[in-house]
Amino acid sequence: MLFRILGIIIGIAVGGIWGAIIGYFVGSGLDSLFAPKVKIHTQRSTRNDFLDSFLILAADVIKADGRFTRSELYYLKDYLVQSLGNEAAGMAMRRLQEIMKQNYNIPSICASLRQSSNIHERLLIIQFLFGLANADGNLDTAEVSEIERISQWMGISRGDFESIKSMFTSYSYSGGSSRSGSGSNANTYRSHSLDDDYKILEVSPTATDDEVKKAYRALAKKYHPDRVAHLGDDMRKAAEEKFSRLGQAYDNIKKARGMK
């Protein structure tokens, strides 16, 4: 832009209107030659970046109530073993030990995730953090508050936050492969109400049947496991829990309403 303006000024002084025209084109050429080259690209979190942020936020939630319980340890280890395999899980647990000794700028970590990760990846993190907080069968207030802050910092809507939270009002974690060697988690379901199902679908009990159907279709698309397939089959399997829970909530509401 600078050379273009100078070209016009010099052109007018030297050759009048025709000089200005020539100066314009010469200046434009110089602007193009010397202008900084801006490379526009989109970021997508790699599996390793995602895992590291994942562990930092897990450590933050664990620290929220000032204690690291055995049930949280088992839940986290089981999750990592099933997601990554024994060797990689061992490395991740050693990385967690290092992370637990340090203090991180959590809002900054979340802001970075907001820029580098898509909404499906961030929802998966919130889902895991709730599972971790609920590992002992009790959603501690301090841990839930910290997850809520993380959710806000990562740009997750209130509706999505409440939907995921409602998943964990209906069951508690009670063991897993780390102790029993069974290779599968044991989840004990407790009292569950239709209100939980409406929260999971992010609709009011007064919503029309069409609104319920529309909400389910939109959430099923948002939470489909294929959305995080680029992070590996392990993360895809983890996303299937929320996807399955959406289907259960929708089925419960349909039965209660007599919907087809």
Side-chain angles (χ1 to χ4, degrees):
M1 187 70 173
L2 176 62
F3 288 109
R4 187 183 306 168
I5 294 172
L6 289 174
I8 293 172
I9 294 173
I10 295 172
I12 291 175
V14 175
I17 186 63
W18 290 109
I21 294 173
I22 294 172
Y24 171 84
F25 286 109
V26 172
S28 296
L30 290 172
D31 278 332
S32 298
L33 181 63
F34 290 104
K37 305 301 180 183
V38 178
K39 183 179 180 181
I40 300 175
H41 62 88
T42 58
Q43 281 187 306
R44 197 174 196 180
S45 58
T46 66
R47 184 170 170 178
N48 287 338
D49 291 339
F50 184 81
L51 179 60
D52 206 54
S53 297
F54 188 88
L55 293 173
I56 290 171
L57 296 183
D60 180 58
V61 170
I62 288 169
K63 292 177 181 178
D65 63 354
R67 57 197 178 95
F68 189 2
T69 66
R70 183 176 298 179
S71 56
E72 288 173 331
L73 173 63
Y74 287 143
Y75 182 90
L76 181 54
K77 187 174 181 180
D78 281 349
Y79 190 94
L80 292 172
V81 167
Q82 292 183 35
S83 297
L84 306 174
N86 287 312
E87 184 176 352
M91 293 175 63
M93 290 300 289
R94 289 191 289 276
R95 171 65 178 140
L96 180 69
Q97 289 178 343
E98 297 174 2
I99 290 171
M100 291 288 288
K101 298 174 184 177
Q102 303 176 43
N103 292 318
Y104 290 85
N105 185 329
I106 302 302
S108 178
I109 295 291
C110 293
S112 178
L113 275 170
R114 187 171 182 172
Q115 292 296 319
S116 64
S117 302
N118 62 43
I119 184 63
H120 315 292
E121 296 165 356
R122 285 176 274 143
L123 291 173
L124 186 61
I125 289 177
I126 295 300
Q127 180 181 327
F128 168 79
L129 294 178
F130 266 115
L132 180 62
N134 195 44
D136 59 359
N138 177 51
L139 285 174
D140 184 86
T141 302
E143 292 176 322
V144 173
S145 295
E146 186 62 13
I147 296 172
E148 184 173 5
R149 284 189 287 270
I150 289 170
S151 176
Q152 292 171 346
W153 290 327
M154 289 201 299
I156 292 173
S157 72
R158 182 72 187 183
D160 282 332
F161 170 79
E162 291 293 341
S163 175
I164 296 173
K165 179 182 175 182
S166 294
M167 283 178 61
F168 296 91
T169 61
S170 57
Y171 73 83
S172 61
Y173 178 79
S174 60
S177 59
S178 293
R179 284 173 287 178
S180 64
S182 62
S184 61
N185 289 345
N187 294 315
T188 303
Y189 285 79
R190 58 178 184 265
S191 59
H192 176 79
S193 71
L194 200 60
D195 284 341
D196 291 321
D197 293 320
Y198 281 110
K199 288 179 181 177
I200 289 171
L201 289 190
E202 300 181 29
V203 293
S204 166
T206 59
T208 65
D209 289 354
D210 284 341
E211 288 172 336
V212 170
K213 292 177 182 177
K214 183 178 179 180
Y216 171 70
R217 286 194 294 267
L219 289 174
K221 184 177 180 180
K222 178 186 287 187
Y223 286 98
H224 197 284
D226 286 348
R227 297 287 190 175
V228 293
H230 63 281
L231 293 174
D233 290 341
D234 42 19
M235 293 301 180
R236 187 185 188 283
K237 290 177 182 177
E240 287 175 356
E241 181 181 4
K242 172 65 176 181
F243 190 69
S244 175
R245 193 64 193 84
L246 280 171
Q248 292 174 17
Y250 185 51
D251 286 342
N252 291 342
I253 292 173
K254 285 199 300 181
K255 289 178 182 178
R257 290 179 171 226
M259 292 169 55
K260 294 182 178 180

